Amino acid sequence: QKEVEQDPGPLSVPEGAIVSLNCTYSNSAFQYFMWYRQYSRKGPELLMYTYSSGNKEDGRFTAQVDKSSKYISLFIRDSQPSDSATYLCAMSDMSTNAGKSTFGDGTTLTVKP
Amino acid sequence: GAVVSQHPSRVICKSGTSVKIECRSLDFQATTMFWYRQFPKQSLMLMATSNEGSKATYEQGVEKDKFLINHASLTLSTLTVTSAHPEDSSFYICSASKGTEAFFGQGTRLTVV
């Protein structure tokens, strides 16, 4: 069983919809939780990072972490065609640098005009 | 954010030759950089952790003599794929840690013919 599970999708939504992306994990030592966006043939771009449990909002993006359930989410409001990409969740524990993270397999999102 | 530059973005080489990929942190110093490999529609696979001034730490199953890593300065790490074979064709991505955040390069598409 993988340490981080992420539904690969693909997920297709109409423009303006609210998108919910999720990951579950098994390692209770994870303290830092990140979401990356990756366009085709490009490197991942850090979108959000959250330390421990709670919510964090940045514009149209909201990240939620529920450590008791070992479940994290990324919500995208008013989705745009430019949001079409693969979204990767990543996690690390406090003893390692953020770069040495465990990644989910990514969810491919398509926002249709 | 912070900028990590990776070069080249794309390279084609003949079997048996070596290829060097550079990863630079442009506006911050990175004592630790990471090298990943990504297969199509799959997540990032950590290959090694590059430490400035010391030997790289390789993940299990990664041949250190084949994937040479040099972290010559606080802003530069290089990955050299030696004696490349077609099965080494992949997307290679570096990242650099800045505090608890990790920033990725644009990736290098390597094709070995």
Side-chain angles (χ1 to χ4, degrees), chain A residues 36 38 43-44 46 98-99 103-104, chain B residues 36 38 43 97 100-101 104-106:
Chain A
Y36 292 89
Q38 186 176 25
L46 179 64
F103 286 82
Chain B
Y36 293 84
Q38 187 177 34
S43 191
S97 288
T100 55
E101 296 180 64
F104 285 81
Q106 308 95 316

Side-chain angles (χ1 to χ4, degrees), chain A residues 12-79:
Chain A
S12 181
V13 301
E15 183 174 356
I18 296 176
V19 176
S20 174
L21 304 167
N22 311 293
C23 289
T24 59
Y25 63 96
S26 57
N27 187 347
S28 58
F30 288 143
Q31 295 283 349
Y32 294 94
F33 304 91
M34 286 74 71
W35 285 96
Y36 292 89
R37 178 174 62 196
Q38 186 176 25
Y39 293 111
S40 180
R41 300 187 179 188
K42 299 290 185 182
E45 171 194 7
L46 179 64
L47 278 178
M48 305 275 287
Y49 89 96
T50 309
Y51 170 66
S52 194
S53 286
N55 295 356
K56 188 173 185 178
E57 186 174 322
D58 184 3
R60 296 185 295 112
F61 298 91
T62 299
Q64 287 185 351
V65 175
D66 183 349
K67 289 190 69 181
S68 62
S69 302
K70 297 190 178 66
Y71 186 89
I72 70 170
S73 301
L74 177 71
F75 297 96
I76 306 174
R77 293 185 299 279
D78 187 24
S79 56

Side-chain angles (χ1 to χ4, degrees), chain B:
Chain B
V3 181
V4 175
S5 177
Q6 189 173 338
H7 178 80
S9 59
R10 184 174 298 186
V11 59
I12 301 173
C13 71
K14 293 184 178 181
S15 288
T17 61
S18 296
V19 173
K20 179 184 284 187
I21 303 170
E22 292 187 349
C23 180
R24 294 180 185 272
S25 55
L26 297 186
D27 53 359
F28 67 102
Q29 293 183 331
T31 55
T32 305
M33 292 184 175
F34 302 89
W35 287 96
Y36 293 84
R37 185 173 180 176
Q38 187 177 34
F39 294 100
K41 297 187 178 182
Q42 293 188 28
S43 191
L44 286 74
M45 182 190 76
L46 179 65
M47 298 175 65
T49 302
S50 172
N51 304 297
E52 189 268 337
S54 65
K55 293 183 178 180
T57 304
Y58 290 82
E59 296 299 302
Q60 190 173 11
V62 178
E63 298 177 61
K64 57 183 66 176
D65 293 333
K66 181 166 188 60
F67 299 100
L68 299 179
I69 292 172
N70 183 27
H71 198 145
S73 74
L74 288 172
T75 59
L76 173 65
S77 176
T78 60
L79 168 68
T80 301
V81 183
T82 63
S83 187
H85 291 283
E87 56 265 31
D88 298 325
S89 299
S90 190
F91 192 54
Y92 293 87
I93 310 173
C94 71
S95 76
S97 288
K98 183 180 181 183
T100 55
E101 296 180 64
F103 298 91
F104 285 81
Q106 308 95 316
T108 298
R109 173 75 56 189
L110 171 64
T111 303
V112 184
V113 297

Side-chain angles (χ1 to χ4, degrees), chain A residues 63-102:
Chain A
Q64 287 185 351
V65 175
D66 183 349
K67 289 190 69 181
S68 62
S69 302
K70 297 190 178 66
Y71 186 89
I72 70 170
S73 301
L74 177 71
F75 297 96
I76 306 174
R77 293 185 299 279
D78 187 24
S79 56
Q80 304 295 311
S82 58
D83 295 328
S84 299
T86 296
Y87 290 80
L88 299 158
C89 65
M91 322 180 175
S92 69
D93 63 33
M94 292 182 69
S95 64
T96 63
N97 285 295
K100 190 174 180 179
S101 301
T102 303

